[in-house]
Amino acid sequence: MQKALDLRATRLRQTWRDIHEIAAKQCLEEGPEAVNTTKIAEAAGVSPRTFFNYFATKEDAILGLGRPELLPDHIESFINDTEHPPLLRVCLLTVAVVATALGPEVDHERRHVLVEKYPELRNRMTNTVLLSRDQVLRELVLDADELWLGVSGMPSDVEEAHALVILAFSVVAYSWRLDPTHLAVSAVEALSHSIDTVVSVLGKSL
């Protein structure tokens, strides 16, 4: 039974990769307007209806994007993380949620080229990041009392929690704009650098 489930999971991942690779290649060669979901599905050996089981839009297929998820493991890691300060912990949680939508086996350099070349694709990436941020905001602010208020080193009330989460979003956005590949590959290093920059700017601006 387990072997059958593993084989099915492997096939699903392979189909996901096939669709994405075909869409990305077609976009690079002909531009996003020329990308056609029916042709992609045919080249990948699936039906047009099946295409939409994997990707919500052709833009998502081009970029290898899924829907962001905030998983129980993310919250557990966030709460149990005693190594990093609160701001970095919220940043790392946000990045972890974003990562669930970015695809585990995507060519980050190619994606960077695509979003730089075609603004409409950048907008789709931005929308995915905003959806991720909304999930984190709901979880960490609306359920703050139950989840993390009063945890050692963390905010003691909802207003402080809200402020910390919003500040973390700004840091992640800055880090993303600075170098999305660095953020994807070395999140702690990229975010720490961004936090240092933001703290420096705040110190000079207050």
Side-chain angles (χ1 to χ4, degrees):
M1 179 66 177
Q2 185 59 46
K3 185 176 181 180
L5 290 174
D6 290 343
L7 286 172
R8 182 174 185 276
T10 299
R11 285 197 297 271
L12 289 173
R13 286 196 300 272
Q14 185 59 54
T15 301
W16 186 96
R17 285 194 298 268
D18 289 345
I19 294 172
H20 166 55
E21 287 295 326
I22 292 165
K25 182 179 179 182
Q26 186 176 357
C27 183
L28 283 172
E29 293 175 349
E30 304 177 44
E33 291 298 323
V35 175
N36 181 285
T37 58
T38 301
K39 290 182 179 179
I40 293 170
E42 182 179 349
V46 300
S47 69
R49 183 174 181 178
T50 298
F51 172 96
F52 291 104
N53 290 336
Y54 288 90
F55 296 101
T57 67
K58 71 176 185 181
E59 290 79 13
D60 287 351
I62 292 167
L63 295 169
L65 297 178
R67 186 167 183 82
E69 295 182 272
L70 199 162
L71 304 173
D73 286 351
H74 294 152
I75 294 295
E76 184 177 354
S77 296
F78 166 75
I79 292 173
N80 294 329
D81 180 4
T82 57
E83 179 183 356
H84 303 115
L87 178 57
L88 182 53
R89 287 163 71 172
V90 179
C91 289
L92 288 170
L93 175 62
T94 303
V95 170
V97 175
V98 173
T100 64
L102 297 186
E105 302 172 30
V106 171
D107 184 332
H108 295 289
E109 291 297 334
R110 181 176 64 190
R111 177 188 277 158
H112 180 69
V113 170
L114 285 165
V115 298
E116 286 297 314
K117 191 172 183 179
Y118 301 110
E120 60 268 44
L121 297 181
R122 178 177 290 281
N123 292 341
R124 190 63 185 174
M125 287 284 290
T126 300
N127 183 62
T128 297
V129 173
L130 290 175
L131 284 174
S132 303
R133 286 170 39 170
D134 285 347
Q135 290 197 22
V136 173
L137 183 64
R138 285 196 301 271
E139 193 80 16
L140 293 193
V141 175
L142 296 183
D143 296 330
D145 285 328
E146 298 178 15
L147 278 177
W148 62 300
L149 287 188
V151 173
S152 179
M154 288 297 196
S156 57
D157 62 57
V158 174
E159 289 303 315
E160 288 183 3
H162 199 168
L164 179 62
V165 172
I166 295 299
L167 180 58
F169 289 168
S170 298
V171 171
V172 172
Y174 171 68
S175 193
W176 178 277
R177 175 64 64 176
L178 200 63
D179 189 344
T181 301
H182 188 200
L183 182 60
V185 174
S186 304
V188 171
E189 182 180 332
L191 290 168
S192 296
H193 172 75
S194 296
I195 288 171
D196 288 345
T197 303
V198 169
V199 169
S200 176
V201 170
L202 285 173
K204 294 175 182 178
S205 303
L206 296 176

